[in-house]
Amino acid sequence: MGGDDFHKGVKAPTHELNASGLKILIVHTRWNSEIVDPLVAGARSTLESLGVQAHNIVVRDVPGAYELPGAAQKLIRQSQQQTNLVSSIVDDLLSAPGTHSNPETQGPFDAAICIGVLIKGSTLHFEYISEAVSHGIMRVGLDTGVPTVFGVLTCLTDDQAMERAGVGRKNKGHNHGIDWATAAKQMTQDHRDRVPILRREVERPRWNSPPRVGIVYSAENWDHIEPLVNALRYELTDNFYFSPINIKMTQAESIYDIPLYVSHLHQRSEIVFVLGVVFRTSPTYESRLVDALTQHVAAIPMIGRLPVFDCILVKDNAKQLSAHVQEVDGGLASVWAKRAIDTFTMMAKPAI
């Protein structure tokens, strides 16, 4: 590696994702606009060249880099709650009307890019803002579950920043907005590869206040449980617009400990999913205990009118489990989520 053969930038993925249905958010600063604007243009044009539809690229701006994480998180969460992105965002966080195209984009963002430029001055302001912004943008991705690309240049001089935007005075340099767009598209691909749920048209509820959800899962047979847990969480947030902050995950050491954790969630959740995988060939398998667990979970809704959904799979072996998961049209997580919404809606209606 090195010399003329060295290529700086994001390596292409091994297989391509159809990007035509992706929705990408770009939030950028108005500070240092002579450098930021080319970065935004580079990111936007690259996204379109990768197949993202122009009307699915939402561009918003904020005054400075310190405001990037807050605005990005607000926009992402509102999109996950099926909120109209144009009318509902606080005006002082976003750009003036007419600055950018305002598509009536509904539905969650698949990725976000935060773009800004910080240039070191003669005080410690640069260090404080750089650290706060980097940590803030990282938290946006972790808290919302949406891949969030760090597109903030932290440079020592104006020339360094201009070269990294492709508008250098002597050496034009390379526009890093191209790399950030490529990374955003690639991260959506990686995210979907880990949680293999297909986008499809479903009847989505319009929540005034999304229900609080508890997911209790067993640590036993984790290799089989993890894809189901991730798929259910993704299904709830991506296809049914539950708020990620309203989904609480709780791990039980054993499947037989699950009722205890469900009881704790009784006062804090409006919907509870119970996930577990039990193999009849396991040395710890006891049919009477599994039957008792199932009966206990089934009794909870009758006691406290709390919708609790038994998603415990009892199979002979891993091969039988895999066959069952694959034969369900749309995926088990989709079936569980739809059943939960139907039941919650029915229970929420006042009795006549």
Side-chain angles (χ1 to χ4, degrees):
M1 184 176 69
D4 295 335
D5 296 331
F6 177 70
H7 173 71
K8 186 176 181 180
V10 182
K11 182 180 178 181
T14 55
H15 59 286
E16 289 297 322
L17 169 75
N18 181 0
S20 60
L22 296 181
K23 295 179 181 178
I24 308 295
L25 170 66
I26 298 176
V27 185
H28 68 88
T29 65
R30 295 194 294 273
W31 196 271
N32 292 321
S33 60
E34 291 184 6
I35 301 172
V36 169
D37 288 349
L39 291 167
V40 173
R44 189 165 191 166
S45 62
T46 300
L47 288 171
E48 292 183 18
S49 70
L50 292 171
V52 181
Q53 300 295 313
H55 63 270
N56 281 337
I57 303 172
V58 176
V59 180
R60 287 287 179 262
D61 63 57
V62 294
Y66 194 79
E67 290 75 43
L68 285 171
Q73 186 178 70
K74 187 176 183 70
L75 285 158
I76 291 170
R77 283 181 172 169
Q78 288 190 340
S79 76
Q80 291 171 331
Q81 296 176 19
Q82 187 69 336
T83 304
N84 188 301
L85 294 177
V86 178
S87 61
S88 62
I89 307 302
V90 181
D91 288 340
D92 61 356
L93 277 179
L94 304 179
S95 57
T99 303
H100 298 290
S101 60
N102 292 330
E104 297 290 328
T105 302
Q106 295 284 333
F109 290 112
D110 294 285
I113 308 172
C114 295
I115 298 178
V117 175
L118 293 170
I119 301 173
K120 185 173 176 60
S122 56
T123 69
L124 291 175
H125 183 263
F126 171 83
E127 282 81 0
Y128 289 134
I129 298 298
S130 296
E131 183 175 7
V133 172
S134 61
H135 282 289
I137 292 174
M138 178 184 69
R139 289 258 33 116
V140 172
L142 294 174
D143 293 344
T144 64
V146 174
T148 304
V149 176
F150 182 78
V152 179
L153 297 179
T154 53
C155 302
L156 300 178
T157 66
D158 294 353
D159 285 335
Q160 284 183 353
M162 295 177 73
E163 288 177 8
R164 284 155 180 78
V167 292
R169 297 186 180 98
K170 299 178 180 178
N171 175 20
K172 286 295 183 183
H174 171 68
N175 188 324
H176 281 52
I178 297 171
D179 301 325
W180 299 333
T182 305
K185 189 251 187 179
Q186 195 166 326
M187 282 298 293
T188 62
Q189 178 170 328
D190 292 342
H191 186 64
R192 291 185 176 188
D193 286 346
R194 289 192 296 270
V195 187
I197 299 297
L198 296 177
R199 272 188 184 274
R200 57 194 173 282
E201 290 303 317
V202 294
E203 185 177 351
R204 298 178 170 93
R206 293 179 179 271
W207 307 111
N208 290 326
S209 178
R212 293 168 297 170
V213 177
I215 299 177
V216 185
Y217 58 92
S218 170
E220 291 179 290
N221 298 310
W222 177 242
D223 289 346
H224 302 286
I225 284 288
E226 183 180 22
L228 295 171
V229 172
N230 289 340
L232 177 59
R233 183 182 175 91
Y234 187 82
E235 189 75 27
L236 291 170
T237 57
D238 192 69
N239 280 332
F240 294 103
Y241 302 126
F242 281 69
S243 172
I245 62 173
N246 285 343
I247 300 176
K248 303 301 180 184
M249 314 283 286
T250 303
Q251 183 185 76
E253 289 301 315
S254 165
I255 191 169
Y256 305 116
D257 296 330
I258 283 178
L260 176 64
Y261 292 92
V262 173
S263 300
H264 287 316
L265 286 170
H266 189 277
Q267 301 298 325
R268 296 182 291 157
S269 304
E270 293 158 290
I271 298 173
V272 174
F273 294 91
V274 175
L275 273 69
V277 171
V278 180
F279 295 126
R280 297 187 183 94
T281 53
S282 169
T284 60
Y285 172 75
E286 292 188 46
S287 60
R288 62 180 182 84
L289 292 178
V290 174
D291 291 342
L293 170 64
T294 303
Q295 292 172 11
H296 185 101
V297 171
I300 293 175
M302 292 183 281
I303 298 172
R305 286 189 60 80
L306 173 70
V308 178
F309 298 93
D310 182 355
C311 306
I312 297 174
L313 304 175
V314 182
K315 301 296 176 184
D316 288 336
N317 49 49
K319 184 177 180 181
Q320 189 183 71
L321 172 68
S322 178
H324 175 67
V325 170
Q326 292 176 10
E327 73 185 9
V328 178
D329 184 32
L332 277 174
S334 176
V335 174
W336 293 337
K338 182 66 167 62
R339 185 174 54 149
I341 291 168
D342 290 343
T343 305
F344 176 80
T345 302
M346 178 187 68
M347 294 181 70
K349 290 181 179 178
I352 298 175

